[in-house]
Amino acid sequence: MTGRTGLVVAGAGARGAYEAGVLTELLPRLTHTWSAPSILVGTSAGALNVAALAGLTGTDPQDASAELVSRWESVRTDEVIALPSSALEAGAAYAGDLLGLPSWLRRALGLPDRVTRLLDAERLRPVVERVVDWGRLHHAIARGPVDAVGVACTSAGTGGTVVFVERGPGVPLPPYDPGRDIRYVDTRLTADHLLASAAVPVLFAPRRLDDGWYLDGGVRLNTPLKPALRLGADRIGVVATTPAVPVPEGPAPPEHAPDVYAVAALALRIVLGAGVTEDLRTLRAVNELVERGADDRHARIGTWFAGPPADRGAELAALAAEVRRREYGGLRALRNPSLFVLERLVGGGVPDVDSTDGAELLSFLFFDRAFASAAAALGAEHAATAVAPDSAAQDSAAPDAAAPDSAAPGAAAPGAAAPDSAAPGRRAPMSPVGRRGRYS
């Protein structure tokens, strides 16, 4: 098939293991139905996933995604979070703020200068280096199997999105997008770019890159669909941990006012899910105009979404709570003291209080082999329901296809379907036998 296939993976924290599980189903099907993704763009944990996949170039897609799951299973809580030492340092810095101590006195007393983060992101560096094969990534981009890898960050100076791009010679760097305030920067990707993309505000300090300070790309663009299209993707697979469509009805309202944990969980759902929902809806509308002949400026963009169905969006949070109880309940909590403290910091572990919101927050920070394995299995289960486009040729856009200026592109879809091209009830084979393409 002509043209390029893109893969966009959203930010998700420890839920990145779920995304890896989704890819065990989606990646082989994308490769078989369209072509191996060669434009890879992600945010935060999604950036880690696409970089890892680029470093697995040449591997069978099923083997590559299975290896990605294995690498997530290798990550431990204490590799990412050291709550006692981080809390003491942040507390000392905050005490200096409360007391109004000048910088010279803080240095004399051995206190941190300012509160810049609650957790130390530098602990993540060995994890990133272990998960991504950087030499293989650079080689794949230079030689052509991978056309470009983009990592979305948020500029601490402007508040806009900056996509750091390592690209091959056949991929032009997109110009600044004033409509969405997206800037593209040529670079040779390193672990620092992934650490910046994952620098969740308040939890982690912003990272210094090139000309400024950067933090989590999910603040502005958690699911970077438009950058994938601007980099030349003619059709895209999209992986997220939130449903592609809004849930029309929520649970009955509680009797008491929502606590801070409930509000934090709600804010997280909005940041992670609202953007992709709107972007997918926008692209679907453009596709419908193209199909009716009412828009001759754009080509049709095939979109294949894989993530939680609309009626199963809460399952990851429930899974985090279940794994925590099973693996670390009671005295077993001593096996992972950081997790024990972390759960209480996000509002979980109180016997007579609904722990739903605490479990949702925990699912983004639950770096643990047992949770990674269970989350990956759930991701594969959800992705198995993703409806394949009914016509690969129909979903292939012209090489000069461009995203509409108003779009952070995508297409709305019922559940985990490929909305703009799916025939209801029709699915591609889960694992094509005898026709398994190689991942680039």
Side-chain angles (χ1 to χ4, degrees), residues 101-113:
L101 299 180
S103 298
W104 65 267
L105 182 54
R106 296 187 198 211
R107 288 192 291 271
L109 295 174
L111 297 176
D113 194 22

Side-chain angles (χ1 to χ4, degrees), residues 7-9 15-30 33 62 65 69 237-244 303-313 315-316 374-389 414-418 422 426-432:
L7 177 64
V8 176
V9 186
R15 290 184 174 200
Y18 169 92
E19 296 177 331
V22 167
L23 287 165
T24 63
E25 285 285 345
L26 181 64
L27 189 60
R29 295 170 66 189
L30 276 180
T33 307
Q62 289 182 326
S65 51
V69 170
V238 182
V239 178
T241 66
T242 54
T303 307
W304 196 335
F305 177 86
D311 60 346
R312 301 179 66 181
E315 289 185 351
L316 258 175
L378 182 63
E381 180 185 336
H382 285 172
T385 68
V387 180
R426 181 170 179 175
R427 288 176 50 190
M430 285 299 98
S431 301

Side-chain angles (χ1 to χ4, degrees), residues 49-359:
N49 277 327
V50 298
L53 283 178
L56 288 165
T57 300
T59 306
D60 177 273
Q62 289 182 326
D63 293 340
S65 51
E67 173 62 22
L68 185 58
V69 170
S70 177
R71 293 180 186 183
W72 273 99
E73 290 173 338
S74 73
V75 181
R76 305 187 311 274
T77 309
D78 59 3
E79 286 186 296
V80 180
I81 299 167
L83 284 172
S85 59
S86 296
L88 285 174
E89 184 176 342
Y94 188 56
D97 289 347
L98 289 177
L99 295 172
L101 299 180
S103 298
W104 65 267
L105 182 54
R106 296 187 198 211
R107 288 192 291 271
L109 295 174
L111 297 176
D113 194 22
R114 296 284 292 174
V115 181
T116 58
R117 78 312 192 265
L118 297 181
L119 302 174
D120 184 6
E122 198 59 29
R123 295 180 65 87
L124 284 167
R125 184 178 295 277
V127 175
V128 171
E129 298 289 2
R130 184 173 75 238
V131 171
V132 180
D133 186 335
W134 291 103
R136 202 166 165 185
L137 176 149
H138 300 314
H139 184 270
I141 296 173
R143 295 297 180 92
V146 174
D147 291 306
V149 177
V151 175
C153 300
T154 302
S155 168
T158 68
T161 296
V162 176
V163 181
F164 291 94
V165 181
E166 183 168 346
R167 59 195 176 95
V171 178
L173 187 72
Y176 172 66
D177 178 356
R180 294 298 298 271
D181 192 12
I182 302 175
R183 181 165 59 94
Y184 299 86
V185 175
D186 244 337
T187 193
R188 181 179 173 87
L189 292 174
T190 67
D192 285 317
H193 294 95
L194 298 187
L195 292 175
S197 185
V200 178
V202 181
L203 287 183
F204 298 111
R207 305 287 299 189
R208 179 81 183 186
L209 293 174
D210 300 332
D211 61 343
W213 295 91
Y214 295 90
L215 44 86
D216 195 331
V219 173
R220 285 289 300 271
L221 193 64
N222 194 57
T223 311
L225 279 75
K226 190 169 189 181
L229 297 179
R230 288 289 186 231
L231 286 167
D234 302 297
R235 50 197 173 264
I236 50 175
V238 182
V239 178
T241 66
T242 54
V245 294
V247 179
E249 295 183 7
E255 295 181 2
H256 304 288
D259 58 25
V260 294
Y261 309 109
V263 174
L266 173 63
L268 201 55
R269 285 195 295 271
I270 293 172
V271 168
L272 296 181
V276 67
T277 299
E278 293 304 315
D279 291 347
L280 291 172
R281 181 183 293 122
T282 299
L283 187 53
R284 186 183 187 187
V286 172
N287 282 341
E288 290 174 351
L289 290 174
V290 171
E291 290 170 358
R292 295 202 307 265
D295 185 345
D296 58 4
R297 296 184 304 119
H298 303 108
R300 191 175 188 279
I301 303 295
T303 307
W304 196 335
F305 177 86
D311 60 346
R312 301 179 66 181
E315 289 185 351
L316 258 175
L319 182 65
E322 177 190 340
V323 172
R324 202 285 306 166
R325 285 193 301 268
R326 184 180 70 239
E327 299 292 330
Y328 301 106
L331 292 177
R332 292 190 298 275
L334 297 175
R335 293 162 46 193
N336 194 335
S338 290
L339 180 66
F340 176 82
V341 177
L342 182 63
E343 183 185 23
R344 277 144 185 80
L345 288 177
V346 299
V350 181
D352 57 346
V353 175
D354 182 2
S355 61
T356 301
D357 297 307

